[in-house]
Amino acid sequence: MPDFSFLKNLPGIPKFPPFFKRESSVLGIDVGSSSIKIVQLRREQERAVLETYGELSLGPYGSVAGGQAVRLTEDKAKEALADLMREAGVKAKSAVVAIPLRASFVTVIEMPQMEKKELKEAVEYELRRYIPVPLAEVLLDWWVIPEGFAVSSEEVGDEGLVKKKKFISVLIAAIYSDVIEKYRSFITAAGLSIAAYEIEVFSAVRSLLGNELAPVLILDFGASSTKIAVVDYGIVRMAYSYEHGFQELTESIARSLGVDFARAEEMKRTIGLSDKPEHRELQNAILPTLDLMFVEAGRVLLDYRRRTGRSITRVIIHGGGAALKGLPEKIAQKFGIEVNLAEPFNRLKYPLLVQPVVKEVGPPFSTAIGLALRGLK
């Protein structure tokens, strides 16, 4: 039976007994709009050991170019997943599956202190303000943030110290039930049992952050969307999907320079934001769309500081779009704070021989690694 309590095993959240037997190996599956990423891990003396991983472009399965976002039929999605598992030599039979942020809802709300039974009713009532469908059509999970980890404008004193709370902070996550069914259908058809579902932002946090307490901005640059999340005291405080992605940069390059999509994608990755004079035209094609994403990220930085009195100290970027050459430096220049390119494979044990490869390909695998790590908990 799949585990539907998708706030389990997060940093700072109590661990609960699982509803399923742990397998010796577990697979993390992250189905994006342009590719599928999988990571197979096993546990060895309290270490997560990398057994295999792989990524497969979905474009050819939807009759479009590799790297383009595509909506596949259930049969085509099953075919793509089966092909990737075969090519990667997957042996695991149990999988933890990512649910896209755009098909989910994540927020932190402030509630008056009350008994647990009353709180459940109050949370469900409050959710009706945010979710445009009947609650019967969503899977809901919520968790009261411990007082020492809660942050709101009422709680932060003049010197940044947490004052005594008058309210409780509740982290709420919801997933649309029909989305769960869609993923269940094609993944089980590929011969896997689903151990758990998890909203992608929580998986990424597990692979990217340790015991960090300072606020961090996490940017997930995908083909069709950019996911923006703030993590403070190790807990997701806000997360949402900005419906503009790095495919738009590729399309802009293709239009401006008169090249096809594949060539534009290659130029984005190999030349990117180079400031050499001969690359000025390429940079001019990229920056207008990129600047819109920076505006959105900047708004989050300012809004979080205004609401909580806590400044975000660094940015972590991951996802396929993080491969844009020069992107970390451009973000650091824009906001004047530390920017790190995700290195999720650092959480794993693997042969030294493959270190250069996994370091280079790491950012797109943050979510899949976090999913597999959950399966080993």
Side-chain angles (χ1 to χ4, degrees):
M1 169 179 185
D3 184 350
F4 290 109
S5 296
F6 31 85
L7 293 184
K8 289 182 184 177
N9 297 322
L10 303 184
I13 292 184
K15 309 300 187 291
F16 299 93
F19 296 133
F20 55 91
K21 181 181 179 180
R22 302 294 183 190
E23 303 290 341
S24 56
S25 298
V26 67
L27 191 67
I29 302 178
D30 174 21
V31 183
S33 60
S34 66
S35 69
I36 300 179
K37 280 78 66 179
I38 60 172
V39 173
Q40 181 178 299
L41 304 180
R42 63 180 169 84
R43 182 167 294 284
E44 182 181 281
Q45 297 179 343
E46 300 306 312
R47 289 293 305 275
V49 178
L50 177 65
E51 293 188 315
T52 189
Y53 68 96
E55 180 176 14
L56 180 67
S57 176
L58 295 176
Y61 294 86
S63 302
V64 300
Q68 283 188 277
V70 63
R71 290 181 179 273
L72 298 181
T73 64
E74 182 180 317
D75 286 343
K76 285 294 182 180
K78 170 199 166 185
E79 180 185 348
L81 177 58
D83 287 348
L84 178 56
M85 290 169 58
R86 182 177 61 255
E87 290 297 319
V90 168
K91 303 299 182 184
K93 298 300 182 183
S94 177
V96 183
V97 179
I99 299 298
L101 191 55
R102 66 178 179 273
S104 316
F105 174 80
V106 179
T107 193
V108 174
I109 62 174
E110 302 294 316
M111 303 288 291
Q113 293 190 3
M114 61 184 74
E115 296 295 326
K116 187 172 182 179
K117 182 180 178 181
E118 296 174 328
L119 182 60
K120 180 178 183 297
E121 296 175 354
V123 166
E124 292 181 355
Y125 178 81
E126 190 72 15
L127 267 183
R128 293 188 181 97
R129 296 172 47 195
Y130 300 99
I131 298 180
V133 299
L135 292 186
E137 296 180 18
V138 302
L139 293 172
L140 172 67
D141 202 5
W142 55 273
W143 175 69
V144 176
I145 298 174
E147 184 170 337
F149 295 93
V151 175
S152 72
S153 56
E154 292 84 4
E155 300 166 64
V156 180
D158 295 335
E159 298 179 358
L161 300 176
V162 177
K163 300 190 295 184
K164 186 175 181 180
K165 296 181 59 180
K166 297 179 181 179
F167 298 89
I168 56 175
S169 298
V170 182
L171 173 62
I172 301 174
I175 300 174
Y176 294 108
S177 301
D178 60 342
V179 174
I180 292 283
E181 175 55 29
K182 181 182 75 172
Y183 279 81
R184 185 206 64 77
S185 182
F186 83 84
I187 289 173
T188 55
L192 294 168
S193 64
I194 299 176
Y197 300 95
E198 185 167 69
I199 300 171
E200 58 186 340
V201 65
F202 296 113
S203 309
V205 168
R206 185 179 296 107
S207 71
L208 298 178
L209 293 178
N211 296 319
E212 192 161 352
L213 299 181
V216 178
L217 182 70
I218 296 181
L219 300 176
D220 179 357
F221 294 116
S224 62
S225 65
T226 300
K227 277 77 74 176
I228 302 175
V230 174
V231 181
D232 198 355
Y233 288 111
I235 298 168
V236 175
R237 306 292 169 165
M238 59 155 290
Y240 72 98
S241 184
Y242 174 64
E243 296 307 307
H244 293 278
F246 270 46
Q247 178 176 305
E248 294 179 28
L249 272 65
T250 308
E251 292 168 344
S252 179
I253 294 169
R255 287 194 304 269
S256 298
L257 303 186
V259 297
D260 63 19
F261 187 92
R263 174 58 180 153
E265 185 73 14
E266 180 186 355
M267 294 173 72
K268 184 177 73 174
R269 292 175 179 272
T270 58
I271 302 173
L273 296 169
S274 167
D275 56 5
K276 293 181 179 180
E278 61 266 33
H279 299 148
R280 179 97 23 105
E281 192 175 1
L282 176 63
Q283 188 169 140
N284 289 341
I286 291 174
L287 285 178
T289 301
L290 197 59
D291 282 342
L292 291 176
M293 298 177 185
F294 288 170
V295 168
E296 193 70 13
R299 183 187 64 77
V300 172
L301 288 169
L302 292 174
D303 183 61
Y304 193 75
R305 180 175 182 179
R306 179 186 59 80
R307 289 193 296 107
T308 68
R310 290 171 61 79
S311 297
I312 290 171
T313 58
R314 71 181 179 116
V315 178
I316 301 176
I317 62 174
H318 70 111
L324 175 66
K325 194 173 180 63
L327 182 59
E329 295 80 7
K330 182 64 71 174
I331 297 174
Q333 178 186 7
K334 181 72 175 180
F335 298 115
I337 57 178
E338 179 185 355
V339 179
N340 302 128
L341 190 62
E343 295 183 309
F345 283 96
N346 286 353
R347 298 275 173 179
L348 312 178
K349 179 180 177 181
Y350 53 81
L352 189 61
L353 183 66
V354 303
Q355 185 174 27
V357 177
V358 298
K359 183 177 178 64
E360 181 178 351
V361 304
F365 285 92
S366 301
T367 297
I369 289 174
L371 291 163
L373 287 172
R374 169 171 175 163
L376 293 179
K377 293 290 186 179

